[in-house]
């Protein structure tokens, strides 16, 4: 095993790829998990799996396949973590232990120029959508994935992914429109 020096072209290319794609992958991990800390752990675990597969030569495909692989890995790791947490919670409840409450979500969209109130309202409305719609919207809009890639990641057809995107946007638009009419929305 040879270490890659920080100045090597491979390390530089990896760093550039991660700087470009890391924020959208972390956003997806946040949407898939129950807390900001879980999202960071899931994201890191997925990256470690990718690096190990690439290092050992097990990874099929080039750099263009990294992003779809990571979306799938993040989703699966989040499901596994959620199941483990649910089983642990049931065990604790059965023995009478107090169940720990999960930390409130940290903001999904971190941007210094974003209006906190508007961002919070958008996050809340996305969280109110069924997960099957919100995960497709996040992958399409912020993850910049195609419907074919989303379908492959979620194990659905690209037509189903497109329908979920369309229905999710319609539901989000209705929800935001209602909030705006009530005066709850500042945009």
């Amino acid at each position: 095993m040879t270490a890659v020096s920080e100045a090597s072209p491979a390390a530089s290319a990896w760093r550039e790829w991660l700087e470009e794609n890391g924020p959208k992958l972390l956003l997806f991990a946040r949407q898939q998990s129950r807390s900001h800390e879980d999202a960071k752990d899931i994201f890191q675990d997925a990256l470690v799996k990718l690096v190990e597969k690439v290092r050992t030569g097990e990874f099929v495909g080039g750099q263009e396949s990294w992003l779809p692989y990571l979306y799938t890995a993040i989703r699966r790791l989040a499901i596994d973590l959620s199941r483990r947490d649910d089983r642990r919670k049931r065990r604790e409840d059965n023995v009478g232990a107090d169940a720990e409450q999960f930390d409130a979500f940290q903001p999904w969209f971190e941007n210094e120029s974003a209006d906190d109130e508007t961002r919070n309202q958008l996050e809340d409305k996305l969280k109110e959508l069924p997960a099957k719609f919100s995960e497709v919207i996040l992958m399409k809009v912020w993850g910049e994935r195609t419907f074919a890639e989303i379908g492959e990641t979620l194990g659905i057809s690209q037509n189903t992914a497109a329908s979920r995107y369309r229905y999710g946007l319609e539901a989000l638009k209705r929800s935001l429109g209602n909030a705006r009419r009530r005066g709850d929305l500042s945009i």
Side-chain angles (χ1 to χ4, degrees):
M1 179 167 93
T2 59
V4 177
S5 73
E6 286 295 314
S8 77
S12 176
W14 170 250
R15 191 172 15 269
E16 287 175 19
W17 186 91
L18 194 55
E19 286 174 2
E20 178 185 341
N21 296 293
K24 52 185 132 182
L25 289 165
L26 183 57
L27 174 64
F28 183 68
R30 288 180 184 173
Q31 189 269 334
Q32 295 289 315
S33 61
R34 294 177 177 167
S35 74
H36 181 67
E37 289 76 20
D38 286 347
K40 290 192 300 188
D41 289 344
I42 290 167
F43 178 52
Q44 180 178 348
D45 289 347
L47 284 174
V48 168
K49 284 181 179 235
L50 173 64
V51 169
E52 271 301 304
K53 284 187 172 286
V54 169
R55 187 183 64 77
T56 62
E58 293 177 43
F59 190 78
V60 178
Q63 186 174 353
E64 66 278 355
S65 300
W66 291 358
L67 204 55
Y69 172 83
L70 286 170
Y71 274 114
T72 301
I74 287 169
R75 184 168 188 266
R76 289 179 180 161
L77 288 167
I79 289 169
D80 290 346
L81 178 63
S82 178
R83 287 178 180 160
R84 277 194 311 272
D85 287 348
D86 289 347
R87 284 192 301 269
R88 179 186 47 81
K89 184 180 181 312
R90 279 194 304 272
R91 283 193 308 270
E92 288 174 354
D93 287 347
N94 286 339
V95 295
D98 293 332
E100 294 180 15
Q101 296 294 323
F102 291 99
D103 294 333
F105 245 94
Q106 302 261 338
W108 284 0
F109 312 109
E110 293 182 12
N111 183 345
E112 293 177 17
S113 65
D115 176 23
D116 285 341
E117 183 178 349
T118 302
R119 184 191 68 223
N120 289 338
Q121 290 168 345
L122 180 58
E123 285 178 21
D124 290 342
K125 297 303 178 189
L126 275 169
K127 288 177 189 176
E128 290 173 9
L129 289 178
K132 67 182 185 179
F133 297 138
S134 63
E135 68 186 0
V136 171
I137 290 171
L138 282 169
M139 289 177 76
K140 180 69 177 163
V141 176
W142 288 276
E144 300 173 349
R145 309 309 304 153
T146 66
F147 290 125
E149 292 167 331
I150 293 169
E152 185 178 326
T153 298
L154 301 178
I156 58 177
S157 73
Q158 71 181 28
N159 290 335
T160 300
S163 295
R164 288 182 182 181
Y165 177 74
R166 189 174 57 253
Y167 294 139
L169 284 181
E170 289 171 6
L172 189 60
K173 185 177 177 180
R174 276 193 309 273
S175 181
L176 291 170
N178 291 337
R180 187 174 201 171
R181 281 189 288 283
R182 287 191 311 268
D184 295 340
L185 188 61
S186 59
I187 58 171

